[in-house]
Amino acid sequence: MMHKQEAQDIEQATTYVQTQPDNKTRRYDRQLRLWAASGQAALESSRVLVISASATSTSILKNLVLPGIGHFTILDPAKVTPADAGNNFFLNGHASIGKSRAEEAVPLLKELNESVDGAADTRSIEEVLETNEGREWVKGFSLVIAHNLNSQTLDTLSRLLLAGHYKPPADGCALLWLPGRFLYSISRTLHETAPSLRLLRPFPALKEWATSLDYAALDPTDHGQVPFVVILVKAAEQWKAEHNGSLPTSYAEKQAFKAYIYSLKVKLDEENFEEAEAQAFRLWSEKPVSSDVAALFDLPPLSNPGNADETIEGNVAFHALLKTLKLFVESPDGPGTLPLTSSLPDMKTDTQSYVKLQRMYKEQARIENELFKELLKKNFPDIAIEEAMVDAFVKNAHHIKLLRGKRFGALDEDKAALASALEISPRETATHLALSALAELLSRGTEPSGITDEALTKEVQSLVGQGVELPEQLADAVGELTRAPTADMPNIAAFLGGMVAQEAIKMITRQYVPIVGYCVVDLVDSWTGIIG
């Protein structure tokens, strides 16, 4: 008979307390599963500048404050109008009318998360950008989000951020935003997806396990627990031995290979062999180096726009890692492919076999990680790179992406690119052009009430050139902007707030692959598109 334990000794009690999550872990539990502790640390050390305390801007900030950015500053000289009081949930209604929009919004946003620091600045961005001190202040933020700036100021800001976007703490990601579209620049991102299992080039321990395996000597239980990775490596080695070192290439050969794996079953319900058959495609799809990664090997670093001979700070380390990766692949001491990661997918096998396989992968990944670091130190002794950065790079070597954004407005200056975009994506490009035309008219002092279909269409035609035919979708976009040129409705602000914040988090954490180019959003017909 078992009795309920009524007391614990001090060791048991201490162990129980130590295993309980702290307040931060409990608060951020779900997002920690998405971007891990490293991503959360990046968020908590970030400093975000938001230009304008509009309904959309505060909605973006809401979705950044809740997950725990470190600091935000709202830069806005405007006073709260009755329209603001009616559409912005982060103002105190009519009680805020006549007061500073920034100063009214900051306290309510800070209430969402006591760990986040916030500040209001009632200067205008034009005033800030007039001085060297102000420009350096702007570049000190991890991320800059601007809403509804006039064209000239937006151009000045985007050039400033693009010129120095490797200087700030979070690699200087610059995000610039206008109604219905956004674009940003980012230096790099590492995206975790399923890694290579090294089936074509098995490392020694894996190959030894596979080739020494004798199916005939296994009892039915153990036969049904062999991991599919081992089954595929053994089958591939045997196939190559019988086919002059070649793997299946034709459709018939691939089908024959799968049929051979299936024939190895000794019981109908051996799911591990069924899994091996289903995963056989990995053998002929696995490459030593993907074309996307190989294209980065000889990519030159960016140069400082102010000095063509000067490489941008922070860019050097990343390209040193890329060059070391190429050396690793070419090294006679290496595996002839990208570094192995220790991640394994779930598979049909027993715990003992899975743990054995996992230990093999971890040990081989450690060996290759050390080789990579030796090559890095030998070839780039003067470049200091944090070990955590090197480890993250090696871990994600199969899925590195280098994203280089363009200055906001650069697309509108390229008539050939606009003409091409109109042919490829007429709907998205028409909406983009209509918004660009609106921004240009407003920057010239045209009152919103004076915006007409004819004026917008004329401005669009001047952007693309007189000989370019405008798509029929332009009329719909122009009509909506004429009807409500500067409207900032709460539901639209909430939607875009979540969308822009999601992209901002990708940049701050440097995880997942962000949108590249202009994202055009149309919530009348509910679609989004990318151009540029």
mmCIF file of all heavy atoms in Angstrom, residues 461 464-470:
data_model
loop_
_atom_site.group_PDB
_atom_site.id
_atom_site.type_symbol
_atom_site.label_atom_id
_atom_site.label_comp_id
_atom_site.label_asym_id
_atom_site.label_seq_id
_atom_site.Cartn_x
_atom_site.Cartn_y
_atom_site.Cartn_z
ATOM 1 N N GLN A 461 1.431 59.308 -63.557
ATOM 2 C CA GLN A 461 1.966 59.275 -64.917
ATOM 3 C C GLN A 461 3.359 59.902 -64.975
ATOM 4 O O GLN A 461 4.235 59.428 -65.707
ATOM 5 C CB GLN A 461 1.025 60.026 -65.874
ATOM 6 C CG GLN A 461 1.339 59.800 -67.351
ATOM 7 C CD GLN A 461 1.007 58.382 -67.814
ATOM 8 O OE1 GLN A 461 -0.153 58.014 -67.884
ATOM 9 N NE2 GLN A 461 2.048 57.600 -68.126
ATOM 10 N N VAL A 464 5.975 57.283 -63.709
ATOM 11 C CA VAL A 464 6.327 56.153 -64.584
ATOM 12 C C VAL A 464 6.788 56.610 -65.959
ATOM 13 O O VAL A 464 7.412 55.835 -66.689
ATOM 14 C CB VAL A 464 5.129 55.184 -64.739
ATOM 15 C CG1 VAL A 464 4.732 54.618 -63.388
ATOM 16 C CG2 VAL A 464 3.946 55.872 -65.410
ATOM 17 N N GLY A 465 6.494 57.849 -66.340
ATOM 18 C CA GLY A 465 6.859 58.340 -67.660
ATOM 19 C C GLY A 465 5.648 58.413 -68.573
ATOM 20 O O GLY A 465 4.707 57.623 -68.452
ATOM 21 N N GLN A 466 5.670 59.346 -69.487
ATOM 22 C CA GLN A 466 4.501 59.600 -70.321
ATOM 23 C C GLN A 466 4.187 58.464 -71.285
ATOM 24 O O GLN A 466 3.055 58.292 -71.708
ATOM 25 C CB GLN A 466 4.710 60.902 -71.110
ATOM 26 C CG GLN A 466 4.810 62.141 -70.234
ATOM 27 C CD GLN A 466 3.586 62.320 -69.348
ATOM 28 O OE1 GLN A 466 2.449 62.130 -69.792
ATOM 29 N NE2 GLN A 466 3.810 62.664 -68.078
ATOM 30 N N GLY A 467 5.153 57.650 -71.638
ATOM 31 C CA GLY A 467 4.889 56.602 -72.609
ATOM 32 C C GLY A 467 4.401 55.297 -72.011
ATOM 33 O O GLY A 467 4.135 54.338 -72.745
ATOM 34 N N VAL A 468 4.241 55.250 -70.692
ATOM 35 C CA VAL A 468 3.845 54.002 -70.030
ATOM 36 C C VAL A 468 2.335 53.988 -69.808
ATOM 37 O O VAL A 468 1.761 54.944 -69.274
ATOM 38 C CB VAL A 468 4.573 53.844 -68.679
ATOM 39 C CG1 VAL A 468 4.105 52.586 -67.952
ATOM 40 C CG2 VAL A 468 6.076 53.819 -68.889
ATOM 41 N N GLU A 469 1.707 52.898 -70.220
ATOM 42 C CA GLU A 469 0.257 52.769 -70.049
ATOM 43 C C GLU A 469 -0.061 52.381 -68.599
ATOM 44 O O GLU A 469 0.548 51.468 -68.042
ATOM 45 C CB GLU A 469 -0.291 51.712 -71.000
ATOM 46 C CG GLU A 469 -1.807 51.579 -70.934
ATOM 47 C CD GLU A 469 -2.323 50.537 -71.914
ATOM 48 O OE1 GLU A 469 -1.498 50.018 -72.711
ATOM 49 O OE2 GLU A 469 -3.526 50.241 -71.884
ATOM 50 N N LEU A 470 -1.004 53.074 -68.005
ATOM 51 C CA LEU A 470 -1.373 52.814 -66.610
ATOM 52 C C LEU A 470 -2.416 51.701 -66.548
ATOM 53 O O LEU A 470 -3.335 51.652 -67.370
ATOM 54 C CB LEU A 470 -1.930 54.083 -65.972
ATOM 55 C CG LEU A 470 -0.979 55.290 -65.938
ATOM 56 C CD1 LEU A 470 -1.664 56.495 -65.315
ATOM 57 C CD2 LEU A 470 0.289 54.932 -65.170
#
